[in-house]
Amino acid sequence: ELVLGGQEFEIATGILQEIKQKSQALMDIGLHYLSLDRTIPTLSGGEAQRVRLASYLNNELSGLIYVLDEPSIGLHPKDNQNLLKTLVDLKQKGNTVVVVEHDAETMMHSDWLIDIGPGAGTHGGQVIACGTPDQVMDTPDSLTGQYLSGKSHISVSVTNPTNPTK
């Protein structure tokens, strides 16, 4: 156990407070499971984005544009609320947050959606719908809106790998 006294404690106080804030920021965006010996190349794309995002959380900068590409990838669903809170906090500080995302919960918390399609790659590129989540859900040509509204859904069937008939 490390015990600091007098001048050592005064010197360490600011540093310890900063370590605590940075650690809390990492935990707030769902990275509580990372260890300090993990290097950036071993992180998933979503994890690396969230590490960079955490580094911005404790500053009071405003007027910035944050562009994130699927930050929920690799994130456990129970930690998604913390990520959403982080994105809202950045917005409330006067920043713009642009997120490319396929997660329905994240899309439903958006101020504005842009649905680009109708397909991927060379089959896409057209704005199919834009507006609030409710407006996109009310756009008949929006496949995203159909899934968000529950009009369409993905059927999932589970088979027993040892006995495919079950």
Side-chain angles (χ1 to χ4, degrees):
E1 182 177 321
L2 178 63
V3 177
L4 301 176
Q7 187 177 13
E8 291 173 327
F9 180 77
E10 272 187 56
I11 293 169
T13 299
I15 296 167
L16 293 173
Q17 183 63 28
E18 187 166 339
I19 290 171
K20 182 179 175 183
Q21 287 174 343
K22 290 186 182 292
S23 298
Q24 186 62 51
L26 289 168
M27 290 189 299
D28 286 346
I29 56 174
L31 294 173
H32 54 280
Y33 58 88
L34 290 182
S35 61
L36 293 175
D37 62 348
R38 289 276 304 269
T39 60
I40 291 290
T42 68
L43 302 178
S44 73
E47 288 171 331
Q49 277 191 103
R50 290 192 305 275
V51 167
R52 286 189 298 276
L53 184 60
S55 70
Y56 295 112
L57 294 179
N58 293 320
N59 66 45
E60 295 301 319
L61 295 175
S62 64
L64 298 177
I65 298 175
Y66 292 88
V67 179
L68 304 171
D69 184 10
E70 298 190 89
S72 67
I73 286 188
L75 186 63
H76 192 283
K78 71 178 179 134
D79 294 319
N80 204 39
Q81 286 298 317
N82 289 335
L83 175 62
L84 292 173
K85 181 187 176 306
T86 298
L87 299 178
V88 168
D89 289 347
L90 287 171
K91 183 183 79 161
Q92 289 176 340
K93 288 180 180 181
N95 298 297
T96 299
V97 182
V98 177
V99 181
V100 175
E101 187 60 80
H102 295 94
D103 175 67
E105 184 178 22
T106 303
M107 287 189 271
M108 292 302 292
H109 281 83
S110 299
D111 293 333
W112 195 259
L113 291 175
I114 302 172
D115 183 10
I116 300 175
T122 59
H123 305 289
Q126 303 298 314
V127 175
I128 304 300
C130 63
T132 65
D134 286 337
Q135 290 170 324
V136 171
M137 287 188 289
D138 288 339
T139 303
D141 292 340
S142 172
L143 190 57
T144 298
Q146 291 175 25
Y147 281 99
L148 289 176
S149 69
K151 293 174 187 166
S152 292
H153 64 280
I154 297 172
S155 297
V156 178
S157 63
V158 179
T159 58
N160 184 335
T162 58
N163 186 352
T165 61
K166 291 186 178 181

